[in-house]
Amino acid sequence: MTERNELVVRLGRAAALSLLAGTVGGAVVLAGQAIAARSREYAQPELGLALRATVGRADAPPLRLVLLGDSSALGVGVEHFEETIGGQLAQLLSEAPTGRRVHLSSVGVSGSRSTDLATQVARALLGERPDVAVILIGANDATGLARPADAAAYLGSAVRRLREAHVEVVVGTCPDLGAVRAVASPLRQVLGWAGRRVARAQTTAVLDAGGSVVDLGTETGPVFRADAGTLCHDGFHPSADGYRVWAHALLPAVEAAAAVAYRHHH
């Protein structure tokens, strides 16, 4: 099932949820919005984007960084490697005062939910072990109206497996889905509410499993709500500017994780 069709099914479920909330009129509006959202064209992964790259000075200390998660871990919505979240994070890490030579890879898969992370963790741990893993997940759990506790449990398990393999982990929690412009109100509010529930559950699970958390919804949501330019043409996935906002939000936690990994190896 494509990510777009998945979204349609989920939006239909969100409409059903509003019926439970007690307003038939509201559910009719939501159902109409779900149909409108379904007919939109959503950005697809750019298959030409390099998911492996090395960024930074040849003489800088190396950092193996792997991205796991959904379409955001791939950079769906932009056309160039430099615009993806991975490309921007690698650039920022290479330019930091503690400049690193970043060996970047991504095992993210568009449309992924937390249940898909087990496979991605196995792929991330093949070959040379990464120093730091960044996980971006939760939007598809929220739009699918998964039980937050279930989604968080799968995420916690993935973090625990990476930590047991001595990989430092930073999780960017579910972003602010109330900022999505592909969907009109009141469905947008329903998605925003679902996303916040997922993010809260994720935070607890990740900290319990020994990972670090960056609350993307709280830290970057206001920027996405204020500036339409943070989303790409589909009004759903981030643009280069949106990924830049996320990269800057993630950077302090990723730098701290990289410093810990460096100390452990030396």
Side-chain angles (χ1 to χ4, degrees):
M1 196 186 263
T2 67
E3 188 166 10
R4 186 176 141 199
N5 292 340
E6 277 268 276
L7 186 67
V8 176
V9 172
R10 297 185 216 137
L11 295 176
R13 284 197 206 122
L17 183 77
S18 125
L19 249 182
L20 296 176
T23 60
V24 174
V28 171
V29 171
L30 282 175
Q33 288 170 356
I35 291 164
R38 169 172 45 191
S39 61
R40 291 178 71 96
E41 280 295 323
Y42 291 96
Q44 299 299 314
E46 283 286 329
L47 299 179
L49 276 182
L51 298 183
R52 289 188 174 277
T54 300
V55 178
R57 295 192 334 269
D59 59 344
L63 172 69
R64 294 191 174 280
L65 176 66
V66 64
L67 270 60
L68 300 87
D70 55 26
S71 57
S72 49
L74 288 175
V76 171
V78 298
E79 293 178 7
H80 305 290
F81 166 74
E82 295 76 19
E83 299 172 327
T84 65
I85 182 111
Q88 300 205 49
L89 256 181
Q91 194 62 43
L92 289 169
L93 288 162
S94 72
E95 290 168 354
T98 53
R100 306 297 288 266
R101 182 169 173 79
V102 182
H103 301 281
L104 176 76
S105 61
S106 175
V107 294
V109 177
S110 191
S112 290
R113 300 184 185 193
S114 298
T115 49
D116 301 310
L117 287 173
T119 311
Q120 294 187 24
V121 169
R123 286 177 59 205
L125 293 176
L126 280 175
E128 262 197 283
R129 194 185 72 224
D131 299 305
V132 177
V134 172
I135 305 178
L136 298 167
I137 200 82
N140 296 313
D141 294 294
T143 55
L145 300 178
R147 285 185 55 220
D150 293 347
Y154 283 108
L155 173 58
S157 167
V159 172
R160 201 166 281 108
R161 277 178 61 201
L162 288 163
R163 295 293 297 118
E164 284 167 359
H166 307 293
V167 178
E168 298 299 316
V169 183
V170 175
V171 174
T173 56
C174 181
D176 178 11
L177 297 175
V180 164
R181 286 172 167 78
V183 178
S185 298
L187 184 50
R188 194 187 294 177
Q189 277 77 359
V190 174
L191 292 183
W193 166 81
R196 286 191 297 278
R197 289 180 71 219
V198 167
R200 279 198 297 274
Q202 286 179 316
T203 298
T204 306
V206 171
L207 295 175
D208 285 351
S212 304
V213 174
V214 177
D215 184 340
L216 289 180
T218 301
E219 288 199 26
T220 70
V223 182
F224 276 79
R225 285 178 183 241
D227 179 5
T230 51
L231 295 173
C232 76
H233 64 84
D234 69 7
F236 187 77
H237 295 93
S239 64
D241 285 344
Y243 284 127
R244 185 174 306 117
V245 171
W246 280 0
H248 279 281
L250 289 163
L251 184 63
V254 176
E255 281 187 315
V260 171
Y262 188 73
R263 283 200 300 276
H264 283 171
H265 293 178
H266 293 79

